[in-house]
Amino acid sequence: MITKKVIIIGAFGQIGTELTPALAKILGEKNIVALSHSKINQDFSAIIEKGDVLQPKIIVEIIKKHQIDTIINLASYLSVKSEADPQGAWQVNLIGLKNVLDIAKDYQLKVFWPSSIAVFGPTTPKIQTPQDTIIEPTTMYGLTKRAGELLCQYYYLKYGVDVRSVRYPGLLDYKTPPSMGTTEYAKWIFYHAIEKGYYLCPLRNDTVLPMMYMEDAIRSTIKIIMTEKEKIKIRTSYNLAAFSFSPDDLAQEIKKFLPHFKIEYQIDENIQKIADTWPSSIDDHQAKIDWGHEVNFDFHKTVKILFENIKKKLAQNK
Ligand code: VAH
């Protein structure tokens, strides 16, 4: 089935803020329904409806009202928030996904749902983590994402639901504020460096994590949503990768723009504990072969873009 009209659940989050307008450019604004549970604070190029992933009846009404053919479910607690509120994470990340899959089964809809490299745990090989490997997450975020992947595969095998998914690394953007994730330090650091010339980092200096610039993530997300069904060989979730760095690497790169920038370290045990269970780098060759995942932004280009645009944003807010 060709995607013509989508509903984006969680359209005002980190991914939705860029995916929604990108899809509006391709499909037309009148073919994008942005669903949000919170106050709507963006002049969005989309039809805006109120609701959330835990209100399946409201979602069904909207699906029918707008003749939706594809559900993009971005609603999710990230890793740090999931450890602080495991019950909430289970509800939104997993019960919410099952609500979406049940609706897709009943109304023959296509689904896109984001997983994360957080599915990998301490027993997973950390370097160039393979697509198929030991997957034993020890965080609530990771286990909701792994369980979600298996639920997606189940709905595909049992009911033929055409659900596609990718395992995002840490995503870096300048359009949304940093939030409660383990990789979010890599956004906070820019705001602190530009405003104070100093950043107190919650992760150990040598903690290498996989990351990606948002524009690459959005391009590949649209690619996997639009790709013909036959090319999707993996119905749990595809590994996605771009580059990896440590807080030390990032601080050195920022110093190219701010020579006097100073970083110090005050380890937050809760965040470090999560990061220590994740891989340092990811093998994403299957996504490249099956549906053409590609990366246009490396570490250096990404740091330059974030530095210049966050500096501009902070200057405008003064
Ligand atoms: C987090 N940004 O830090 C998310 C992501 C791989 C990390 O899933 O929780």
Side-chain angles (χ1 to χ4, degrees):
M1 170 256 287
I2 301 201
T3 292
K4 293 197 178 73
K5 191 142 192 185
V6 306
I7 183 171
I8 302 176
I9 303 173
F12 299 89
Q14 181 189 20
I15 298 170
T17 294
E18 298 202 37
L19 182 60
T20 304
L23 279 172
K25 268 207 201 99
I26 299 167
L27 301 174
E29 293 177 5
K30 62 182 185 348
N31 293 314
I32 310 286
V33 176
L35 187 74
S36 173
H37 62 85
S38 55
K39 67 182 183 331
I40 288 151
N41 54 5
Q42 317 249 20
D43 52 344
F44 250 65
S45 49
I47 301 163
I48 294 176
E49 295 272 12
K50 257 176 90 72
D52 73 46
V53 77
L54 297 177
Q55 298 172 305
K57 289 194 175 64
I58 290 181
I59 295 174
V60 168
E61 279 163 30
I62 295 169
I63 297 278
K64 290 180 182 169
K65 175 180 163 187
H66 297 285
Q67 287 93 41
I68 298 293
D69 55 52
T70 300
I71 304 181
I72 297 172
N73 175 27
L74 304 176
S76 180
Y77 277 31
L78 294 185
S79 55
V80 174
K81 188 173 178 185
S82 296
E83 287 311 302
D85 177 8
Q87 294 307 324
W90 184 267
Q91 286 297 319
V92 170
N93 295 7
L94 212 50
I95 305 300
L97 171 62
K98 188 173 181 305
N99 288 343
V100 165
L101 291 170
D102 283 331
I103 294 168
K105 168 169 73 75
D106 296 343
Y107 295 90
Q108 291 79 49
L109 307 177
K110 186 193 289 186
V111 176
F112 170 78
W113 171 75
S115 182
S116 164
I117 58 108
V119 298
F120 300 118
T123 53
T124 303
K126 282 194 176 298
I127 307 297
Q128 285 301 302
T129 301
Q131 175 67 46
D132 296 315
T133 183
I134 302 163
I135 303 188
E136 297 171 331
T138 54
T139 64
M140 178 51 83
Y141 178 61
L143 77 87
T144 61
K145 289 298 183 183
R146 181 54 180 162
E149 292 183 354
L150 296 173
L151 204 56
C152 289
Q153 181 176 253
Y154 179 84
Y155 273 72
Y156 172 73
L157 295 172
K158 180 136 179 142
Y159 305 113
V161 172
D162 182 7
V163 46
R164 296 109 184 270
S165 176
V166 294
R167 291 169 179 157
Y168 290 122
L171 297 181
L172 301 175
D173 74 291
Y174 58 87
K175 294 183 180 171
T176 62
S179 63
M180 289 180 72
T182 302
T183 60
E184 297 295 289
Y185 88 88
K187 288 174 59 172
W188 282 115
I189 191 171
F190 287 93
Y191 292 84
H192 288 246
I194 293 162
E195 290 197 311
K196 302 180 216 156
Y198 171 81
Y199 179 58
L200 193 58
C201 184
L203 284 183
R204 228 184 23 249
N205 68 316
D206 61 351
T207 307
V208 177
L209 291 172
M211 304 276 190
M212 179 180 287
Y213 180 50
M214 184 60 81
E215 194 170 316
D216 278 334
I218 297 300
R219 185 187 321 100
S220 284
T221 301
I222 293 173
K223 267 190 183 173
I224 193 171
I225 291 170
M226 300 301 185
T227 291
E228 49 273 41
K229 194 173 171 175
E230 297 66 35
K231 289 192 176 172
I232 307 293
K233 307 280 190 289
I234 291 171
R235 291 291 179 167
T236 47
S237 189
Y238 278 90
N239 282 3
L240 273 201
F243 47 82
S244 299
F245 58 79
S246 68
D248 217 11
D249 299 328
L250 183 51
Q252 294 315 312
E253 195 67 16
I254 289 174
K255 280 181 184 162
K256 291 180 182 173
F257 303 90
L258 281 177
H260 303 299
F261 169 58
K262 193 168 167 21
I263 187 168
E264 287 186 333
Y265 296 91
Q266 187 175 63
I267 310 304
D268 177 322
E269 291 310 331
N270 294 326
I271 303 180
Q272 190 66 50
K273 199 162 160 246
I274 296 170
D276 286 345
T277 69
W278 291 353
S280 301
S281 59
I282 301 286
D283 172 3
D284 62 353
H285 80 274
Q286 198 72 47
K288 290 174 177 165
I289 294 167
D290 289 359
W291 46 269
H293 166 58
E294 61 176 338
V295 171
N296 293 346
F297 295 84
D298 65 10
F299 172 52
H300 307 287
K301 268 166 89 172
T302 301
V303 172
K304 185 172 187 298
I305 291 169
L306 258 71
F307 180 82
E308 289 171 351
N309 285 282
I310 291 172
K311 186 175 179 192
K312 215 181 291 173
K313 201 164 86 165
L314 291 171
Q316 284 161 357
N317 296 348
K318 276 209 172 16

